[in-house]
Amino acid sequence: MSQRSPRLAIGFVALVLLGWGAGALWLTIASSTDLTVIRDAAAQRTAAIEGAARVVTWAGSAAVLAPLTLICCLVLLRAGMRQAALAFAFSFTGAALLADAVKLLVERARPPVQHLEAVGSSSFPSGHATQATAFWLSAIFAARAAGASSAGVHALALACVAIVLAVAASRVYLGVHYPGDVVAGIALGYGWTLLSWRTLADPRQL
């Protein structure tokens, strides 16, 4: 682990800087497009879709995913998969910290529409999208490392991708994030999770 720490630390800092740069660039070249999309989404809200969005968005919440991460890590440890458990823990925890760090640097204001969920931090990137990507991608990697069948892994991958996209869409629909925020969150979550698993777990299993 000590030999792998510098790679993870350097990767984390690199992703923070990339996220910061991407955020600054996005605000410069695409903020008007983001604003148009968020206003269109807010204008077409319905009670049914709003209710669904409020439920789906929990699949990216730390309040749900942090306990699930702990459970998954304990299961992996019990199965003797220490490296996978460590990678799972680092992926989710690091993703949450990564999103918070980039938020502090970019400091993008939340969309100027009615927020259907209470929020306090800045907008870029979406923490829910970052965390959802890290957790559900880790679930796929853990299944592969555990020796799940190819068909099972493919089915799980489709379900996980659908969940991540649904979480991202819910954040925009609820008016708490711009489209660019959730795209950045998915990208950051993917990059960090891939780095964590390739560094801490057996890359031949991924």
Side-chain angles (χ1 to χ4, degrees):
M1 175 63 186
S2 59
Q3 296 178 341
R4 299 171 182 176
S5 297
R7 180 180 178 183
L8 287 172
I10 292 171
F12 185 88
V13 172
L15 284 171
V16 169
L17 295 176
L18 283 172
W20 184 14
L25 180 62
W26 192 265
L27 266 62
T28 301
I29 65 174
S31 59
S32 60
T33 302
D34 259 357
L35 184 58
T36 299
V37 173
I38 196 73
R39 283 177 172 167
D40 287 346
Q44 298 174 21
R45 287 170 176 165
T46 66
I49 299 179
E50 178 185 333
R54 288 182 182 276
V55 173
V56 167
T57 203
W58 282 100
S61 169
V64 172
L65 296 184
L68 285 179
T69 296
L70 178 59
I71 292 171
C72 290
C73 290
L74 291 175
V75 170
L76 291 170
L77 285 172
R78 189 174 180 83
M81 300 172 63
R82 181 178 175 276
Q83 288 179 301
L86 189 62
F88 209 127
F90 263 78
S91 295
F92 179 75
T93 305
L97 294 173
L98 179 61
D100 287 342
V102 177
K103 280 177 181 287
L104 290 173
L105 292 170
V106 177
E107 293 187 320
R108 186 182 199 181
R110 295 281 179 168
V113 297
Q114 180 187 8
H115 299 162
L116 301 182
E117 183 180 83
V119 287
S121 60
S122 57
S123 192
F124 186 100
S126 164
H128 277 64
T130 309
Q131 293 162 178
T133 303
F135 178 87
W136 297 107
L137 181 57
S138 289
I140 299 170
F141 288 159
R144 292 185 64 176
S149 67
S150 178
V153 172
H154 287 159
L156 176 62
L158 288 174
C160 290
V161 169
I163 291 171
V164 170
L165 293 178
V167 168
S170 75
R171 303 310 288 169
V172 175
Y173 193 85
L174 293 173
V176 294
H177 282 292
Y178 294 96
D181 302 340
V182 297
V183 171
I186 291 172
L188 289 171
Y190 179 84
W192 173 251
T193 302
L194 200 60
L195 174 64
S196 297
W197 279 85
R198 286 186 171 177
T199 302
L200 298 171
D202 187 348
R204 294 172 297 179
Q205 297 175 326
L206 305 182

